Amino acid sequence: MHIQYLRCIKKWMQIIKPINVCLSLKTSQIFNTEEIRNICSHINVGLTLPQSRHFLVNHEHKLLYCWIHKVASTSWIALFSHLANRTHIAEYYREIKVLSPKNAEELHRIATTNDYYRLLVVRHPFQRLVSAYRDRIEDTSRFTSQAWIYVPRIFALTRPSLNRSQIFHISHQQQKLSIVPKFKEFVEWLLIISPNKYDVHWNRYSDHCRPCSIDYDAIIKMDNFSNEEVRVVCEMGLEHLNVSLQHLQPTSGGSTDFYITCQYFQQLIPEEVKALYEIYSLDFQMFHYSPQLYMNCAQNKSGLTNVPLPKSIRYD
């Protein structure tokens, strides 16, 4: 088994040129899902399945993947499109309708059988939150539905004197934000609304993919992206195919790594970081993340000099 696995890695390394792959796989990054089940057994959480459109399925290779915005989801959608022999895709997120289970009954059947390999991919909840803010709110190079819907609601809380004509610039040629809310304002708004009403770009893993309802075969932390990709692709039985996870749709202004996230969290006070942690606490607990580094960022407003740095850095 060990020899076959090493052969799988060697072959996969020859296939995926765009990604720097390391042979020293960190198996701790792929969870023993028994830990998730133990946590679920001690909390009061509903066991209903998530929405079928939150998943991609490939029946030929017996794969089920719960996609989450801002966790390399576009790359995974592209991979599933490739596996389905769908090429020349203009907008990957339109593929979800084609690649998702057809209904709740089909999702239930797939999720409760051992025939399919069930996969969930996560990243640090605070890095994902900042990435979502930068991509859907702050980036004015394109107009997003999140900016149109949520920015007036944010300003209704933080700058109530503003009206829509001041917030948006609308002409025949384009629509864009004239005034962009700060990350601190975005967080202040998040803290007063119900997490059940969160947009899919910043909702919780525990709500979106329901790991207490679905017994995932692998839960991957993107902190060691290339290492884990090799291992999972081998486990998924795709090592013989010419497929890879390409980095698509980069965030304007660069990747959202620890340093970028820390800069945004310096806008916050420690009490706001604690409140955010309480909202996303189940995600932190299930996937072994800590808020402490970002608490340090909120406490050290002068810069990153005195902020302890993580051992590994995660990029978009």
Side-chain angles (χ1 to χ4, degrees):
M1 180 69 179
H2 181 66
I3 294 175
Q4 291 177 342
Y5 182 64
L6 290 178
R7 287 175 179 170
C8 165
I9 295 171
K10 184 177 180 180
K11 189 169 185 179
W12 183 242
M13 287 179 67
Q14 294 171 349
I15 293 173
I16 53 174
K17 303 293 185 181
I19 300 178
N20 181 22
V21 180
C22 177
L23 270 173
S24 57
L25 297 175
K26 298 184 178 180
T27 57
S28 62
Q29 294 301 315
I30 297 185
F31 277 79
N32 176 1
T33 53
E34 184 65 33
E35 298 179 39
I36 303 294
R37 288 192 288 271
N38 288 337
I39 292 175
C40 292
S41 67
H42 290 90
I43 60 176
N44 183 20
V45 62
L47 297 180
T48 57
L49 287 175
Q51 298 180 45
S52 58
R53 63 185 178 85
H54 292 174
F55 291 82
L56 306 182
V57 62
N58 183 280
H59 296 295
E60 179 183 356
H61 298 284
K62 303 293 185 182
L63 304 174
L64 182 71
Y65 157 67
C66 183
W67 64 269
I68 303 172
H69 280 293
K70 311 312 299 176
V71 193
S73 55
T74 308
S75 299
W76 283 96
I77 294 170
L79 174 61
F80 271 74
S81 296
H82 182 100
L83 293 176
N85 296 316
R86 296 178 60 81
T87 57
H88 307 294
I89 306 300
E91 295 185 41
Y92 282 105
Y93 279 100
R94 293 184 182 274
E95 290 290 284
I96 292 172
K97 291 182 179 180
V98 178
L99 300 172
S100 293
K102 302 307 178 187
N103 48 50
E105 290 73 21
E106 182 181 3
L107 174 60
H108 181 267
R109 178 180 60 81
I110 296 171
T112 55
T113 180
N114 291 326
D115 294 338
Y116 283 73
Y117 188 87
R118 298 168 294 254
L119 176 67
L120 171 60
V121 186
V122 299
R123 70 187 290 193
H124 195 291
F126 285 167
Q127 284 192 18
R128 175 176 173 253
L129 184 64
V130 170
S131 180
Y133 163 79
R134 295 177 71 208
D135 182 51
R136 311 309 295 180
I137 302 294
E138 186 181 52
D139 180 10
T140 58
S141 66
R142 57 195 174 92
F143 194 70
T144 67
S145 58
Q146 286 74 25
W148 180 257
I149 296 170
Y150 301 120
V151 168
R153 300 180 189 182
I154 295 170
F155 282 144
L157 172 68
T158 63
R159 308 188 210 181
S161 62
L162 293 178
N163 56 50
R164 292 188 75 92
S165 63
Q166 294 171 300
I167 297 171
F168 297 109
H169 171 76
I170 302 175
S171 66
H172 295 295
Q173 289 77 27
Q174 65 176 349
Q175 299 180 103
K176 65 182 298 184
L177 284 173
S178 298
I179 307 174
V180 178
K182 296 179 180 178
F183 179 68
K184 180 179 178 64
E185 294 177 295
F186 173 65
V187 169
E188 289 174 356
W189 172 72
L190 283 181
L191 294 179
I192 68 164
I193 64 175
S194 170
N196 295 328
K197 297 181 179 179
Y198 280 6
D199 185 87
V200 291
H201 287 81
W202 48 79
N203 63 353
R204 300 176 293 195
Y205 304 136
S206 51
D207 292 331
H208 192 87
C209 294
R210 301 291 178 92
C212 287
S213 299
I214 295 180
D215 190 11
Y216 289 96
D217 294 290
I219 299 176
I220 308 174
K221 294 173 70 172
M222 294 297 290
D223 305 80
N224 285 299
F225 177 72
S226 50
N227 286 346
E228 294 181 18
E229 182 194 4
V230 175
R231 182 177 179 85
V232 168
V233 166
C234 289
E235 291 185 0
M236 291 164 69
L238 302 180
E239 70 276 6
H240 63 288
L241 300 177
N242 186 22
V243 296
S244 64
L245 284 179
Q246 300 182 17
H247 298 281
L248 302 172
Q249 292 189 347
T251 300
S252 176
S255 316
T256 304
D257 58 14
F258 165 75
Y259 301 96
I260 293 294
T261 305
C262 186
Q263 291 174 20
Y264 283 87
F265 268 69
Q266 286 178 337
Q267 297 180 26
L268 308 181
I269 60 176
E271 288 73 19
E272 290 170 327
V273 180
K274 290 178 182 177
L276 271 181
Y277 169 75
E278 289 301 319
I279 291 172
Y280 293 93
S281 60
L282 191 55
D283 291 348
F284 276 88
Q285 294 169 30
M286 282 186 170
F287 310 120
H288 297 186
Y289 285 112
S290 170
Q292 189 56 53
L293 285 172
Y294 300 101
M295 184 68 70
N296 296 341
C297 296
Q299 293 171 339
N300 292 276
K301 305 293 186 182
S302 58
L304 295 174
T305 305
N306 299 318
V307 176
L309 302 181
K311 294 180 181 179
S312 61
I313 303 297
R314 162 71 194 127
Y315 295 90
D316 276 324

